[in-house]
Amino acid sequence: MSTRLFFALAFAITWTVQLPAVLAALGLVAGPLEQYMPLAGLGAFGPLIAAVIVARRSPGGAKGLFARLRIRGVGPMWYVVALLLPAALLAAGMAVYSLVGGSGPWVWPPADGQRIAAMIVFPLGEAFGWRG
């Protein structure tokens, strides 16, 4: 029951706040698309809000949901691995891509402050919501 409730809430919250931007992009709502983008950005927090709502109804409550943020017994080396492994895998993949004749930039750094903020904020809403 709680898994179904979580999915229903996560999708309902996310789609509800992102719907105005979609409708503006299709020309069904008056106004420029940029006007609705802050709401669309809030959609990233739909899974987190749904997880908190469902967790509050479960044993352990929301405290149990966020307890995983403070994992004890994990050495600092694992944090280094978690931070560097994705970059190492990207570099390896791009190297293989170059070896087979592909070309292109190896990284796409964010061009402005909004994208940097999105890189930091969006994973907070998504990751904690989907995996708790």
Side-chain angles (χ1 to χ4, degrees):
M1 170 63 182
S2 63
T3 303
R4 288 183 192 158
L5 177 61
F6 166 74
F7 276 100
L9 285 171
F11 285 109
I13 293 166
T14 301
W15 290 350
T16 299
V17 296
Q18 292 180 344
L19 185 62
V22 172
L23 295 175
L26 296 172
L28 299 174
V29 173
L33 175 62
E34 293 78 21
Q35 172 182 335
Y36 299 101
M37 290 311 288
L39 276 176
L42 289 176
F45 291 97
L48 176 61
I49 294 167
V52 169
I53 291 170
V54 171
R56 289 190 69 195
R57 299 179 59 182
S58 303
K63 204 179 228 184
L65 175 68
F66 294 108
R68 294 183 187 179
L69 293 176
R70 288 176 274 145
I71 298 175
R72 290 173 174 72
V74 177
M77 186 61 185
W78 286 110
Y79 287 102
V80 172
V81 169
L83 290 172
L84 297 180
L85 185 61
L89 291 173
L90 174 67
M94 291 303 294
V96 170
Y97 181 65
S98 295
L99 288 174
V100 296
S103 64
W106 280 45
V107 294
W108 293 270
D112 57 22
Q114 289 177 337
R115 293 196 173 129
I116 293 171
M119 287 174 44
I120 296 167
V121 172
F122 283 8
L124 296 176
E126 290 280 336
F128 295 136
W130 288 113
R131 61 177 292 274

